[in-house]
PDB file of all heavy atoms in Angstrom:
ATOM      1  N   PHE A 182     -11.802  -1.544   4.430  1.00 98.00           N
ATOM      2  CA  PHE A 182     -11.870  -2.578   5.545  1.00 98.00           C
ATOM      3  C   PHE A 182     -10.662  -3.600   5.389  1.00 98.00           C
ATOM      4  O   PHE A 182     -10.384  -4.099   4.461  1.00 98.00           O
ATOM      5  CB  PHE A 182     -13.183  -3.433   5.433  1.00 98.00           C
ATOM      6  CG  PHE A 182     -13.179  -4.546   6.305  1.00 98.00           C
ATOM      7  CD1 PHE A 182     -13.319  -4.492   7.655  1.00 98.00           C
ATOM      8  CD2 PHE A 182     -13.134  -5.964   5.719  1.00 98.00           C
ATOM      9  CE1 PHE A 182     -13.357  -5.549   8.520  1.00 98.00           C
ATOM     10  CE2 PHE A 182     -13.161  -6.943   6.529  1.00 98.00           C
ATOM     11  CZ  PHE A 182     -13.195  -6.810   7.964  1.00 98.00           C
ATOM     12  N   MET A 183     -10.021  -3.643   6.575  1.00 97.00           N
ATOM     13  CA  MET A 183      -8.897  -4.674   6.632  1.00 97.00           C
ATOM     14  C   MET A 183      -9.261  -5.770   7.667  1.00 97.00           C
ATOM     15  O   MET A 183      -9.599  -5.484   8.805  1.00 97.00           O
ATOM     16  CB  MET A 183      -7.608  -3.964   7.161  1.00 97.00           C
ATOM     17  CG  MET A 183      -7.118  -2.838   6.245  1.00 97.00           C
ATOM     18  SD  MET A 183      -5.614  -1.958   6.945  1.00 97.00           S
ATOM     19  CE  MET A 183      -4.433  -3.310   6.830  1.00 97.00           C
ATOM     20  N   ASP A 184      -9.220  -6.997   7.166  1.00 97.00           N
ATOM     21  CA  ASP A 184      -9.462  -8.131   7.981  1.00 97.00           C
ATOM     22  C   ASP A 184      -8.250  -8.451   8.855  1.00 97.00           C
ATOM     23  O   ASP A 184      -7.235  -8.661   8.236  1.00 97.00           O
ATOM     24  CB  ASP A 184      -9.896  -9.356   7.132  1.00 97.00           C
ATOM     25  CG  ASP A 184     -10.708 -10.342   8.049  1.00 97.00           C
ATOM     26  OD1 ASP A 184     -10.200 -10.736   9.084  1.00 97.00           O
ATOM     27  OD2 ASP A 184     -11.836 -10.731   7.558  1.00 97.00           O
ATOM     28  N   LEU A 185      -8.449  -8.485  10.165  1.00 97.00           N
ATOM     29  CA  LEU A 185      -7.354  -8.696  11.060  1.00 97.00           C
ATOM     30  C   LEU A 185      -6.713 -10.066  10.767  1.00 97.00           C
ATOM     31  O   LEU A 185      -5.537 -10.216  11.031  1.00 97.00           O
ATOM     32  CB  LEU A 185      -7.893  -8.636  12.505  1.00 97.00           C
ATOM     33  CG  LEU A 185      -6.712  -8.671  13.595  1.00 97.00           C
ATOM     34  CD1 LEU A 185      -5.800  -7.545  13.447  1.00 97.00           C
ATOM     35  CD2 LEU A 185      -7.412  -8.657  15.037  1.00 97.00           C
ATOM     36  N   ALA A 186      -7.493 -10.997  10.338  1.00 96.00           N
ATOM     37  CA  ALA A 186      -7.025 -12.369   9.962  1.00 96.00           C
ATOM     38  C   ALA A 186      -5.908 -12.320   8.916  1.00 96.00           C
ATOM     39  O   ALA A 186      -4.992 -13.084   8.987  1.00 96.00           O
ATOM     40  CB  ALA A 186      -8.235 -13.312   9.524  1.00 96.00           C
ATOM     41  N   GLU A 187      -6.085 -11.370   8.012  1.00 95.00           N
ATOM     42  CA  GLU A 187      -5.053 -11.217   6.943  1.00 95.00           C
ATOM     43  C   GLU A 187      -3.786 -10.437   7.451  1.00 95.00           C
ATOM     44  O   GLU A 187      -2.815 -10.560   6.779  1.00 95.00           O
ATOM     45  CB  GLU A 187      -5.691 -10.473   5.752  1.00 95.00           C
ATOM     46  CG  GLU A 187      -6.825 -11.273   5.110  1.00 95.00           C
ATOM     47  CD  GLU A 187      -7.630 -10.485   4.016  1.00 95.00           C
ATOM     48  OE1 GLU A 187      -7.133  -9.418   3.621  1.00 95.00           O
ATOM     49  OE2 GLU A 187      -8.664 -10.995   3.635  1.00 95.00           O
ATOM     50  N   LEU A 188      -3.884  -9.864   8.547  1.00 95.00           N
ATOM     51  CA  LEU A 188      -2.759  -9.112   9.161  1.00 95.00           C
ATOM     52  C   LEU A 188      -2.023  -9.988  10.125  1.00 95.00           C
ATOM     53  O   LEU A 188      -0.991  -9.578  10.657  1.00 95.00           O
ATOM     54  CB  LEU A 188      -3.219  -7.845   9.831  1.00 95.00           C
ATOM     55  CG  LEU A 188      -3.685  -6.726   8.981  1.00 95.00           C
ATOM     56  CD1 LEU A 188      -4.155  -5.576   9.840  1.00 95.00           C
ATOM     57  CD2 LEU A 188      -2.509  -6.205   8.072  1.00 95.00           C
ATOM     58  N   ARG A 189      -2.542 -11.172  10.406  1.00 94.00           N
ATOM     59  CA  ARG A 189      -1.945 -11.996  11.434  1.00 94.00           C
ATOM     60  C   ARG A 189      -0.459 -12.150  11.311  1.00 94.00           C
ATOM     61  O   ARG A 189       0.281 -12.127  12.308  1.00 94.00           O
ATOM     62  CB  ARG A 189      -2.625 -13.319  11.447  1.00 94.00           C
ATOM     63  CG  ARG A 189      -2.147 -14.306  12.551  1.00 94.00           C
ATOM     64  CD  ARG A 189      -2.982 -15.621  12.607  1.00 94.00           C
ATOM     65  NE  ARG A 189      -2.522 -16.474  13.685  1.00 94.00           N
ATOM     66  CZ  ARG A 189      -3.177 -17.506  14.253  1.00 94.00           C
ATOM     67  NH1 ARG A 189      -4.381 -17.645  13.827  1.00 94.00           N
ATOM     68  NH2 ARG A 189      -2.739 -18.104  15.222  1.00 94.00           N
ATOM     69  N   GLN A 190       0.028 -12.517  10.176  1.00 93.00           N
ATOM     70  CA  GLN A 190       1.460 -12.864   9.988  1.00 93.00           C
ATOM     71  C   GLN A 190       2.316 -11.526  10.232  1.00 93.00           C
ATOM     72  O   GLN A 190       3.490 -11.672  10.548  1.00 93.00           O
ATOM     73  CB  GLN A 190       1.737 -13.310   8.540  1.00 93.00           C
ATOM     74  CG  GLN A 190       1.005 -14.668   8.205  1.00 93.00           C
ATOM     75  CD  GLN A 190       1.533 -15.733   9.215  1.00 93.00           C
ATOM     76  OE1 GLN A 190       2.720 -15.837   9.492  1.00 93.00           O
ATOM     77  NE2 GLN A 190       0.500 -16.520   9.680  1.00 93.00           N
ATOM     78  N   ARG A 191       1.770 -10.282  10.154  1.00 93.00           N
ATOM     79  CA  ARG A 191       2.516  -9.115  10.219  1.00 93.00           C
ATOM     80  C   ARG A 191       2.342  -8.461  11.618  1.00 93.00           C
ATOM     81  O   ARG A 191       3.248  -7.707  12.048  1.00 93.00           O
ATOM     82  CB  ARG A 191       2.125  -8.104   9.138  1.00 93.00           C
ATOM     83  CG  ARG A 191       2.417  -8.687   7.720  1.00 93.00           C
ATOM     84  CD  ARG A 191       2.460  -7.634   6.688  1.00 93.00           C
ATOM     85  NE  ARG A 191       1.172  -6.907   6.449  1.00 93.00           N
ATOM     86  CZ  ARG A 191       0.219  -7.353   5.671  1.00 93.00           C
ATOM     87  NH1 ARG A 191       0.397  -8.476   4.988  1.00 93.00           N
ATOM     88  NH2 ARG A 191      -0.910  -6.679   5.445  1.00 93.00           N
TER      89      ARG A 191
END
Side-chain angles (χ1 to χ4, degrees):
F182 167 69
M183 296 178 69
D184 198 307
L185 188 62
E187 295 172 11
L188 289 174
R189 178 174 185 160
Q190 296 303 315
R191 299 199 293 276

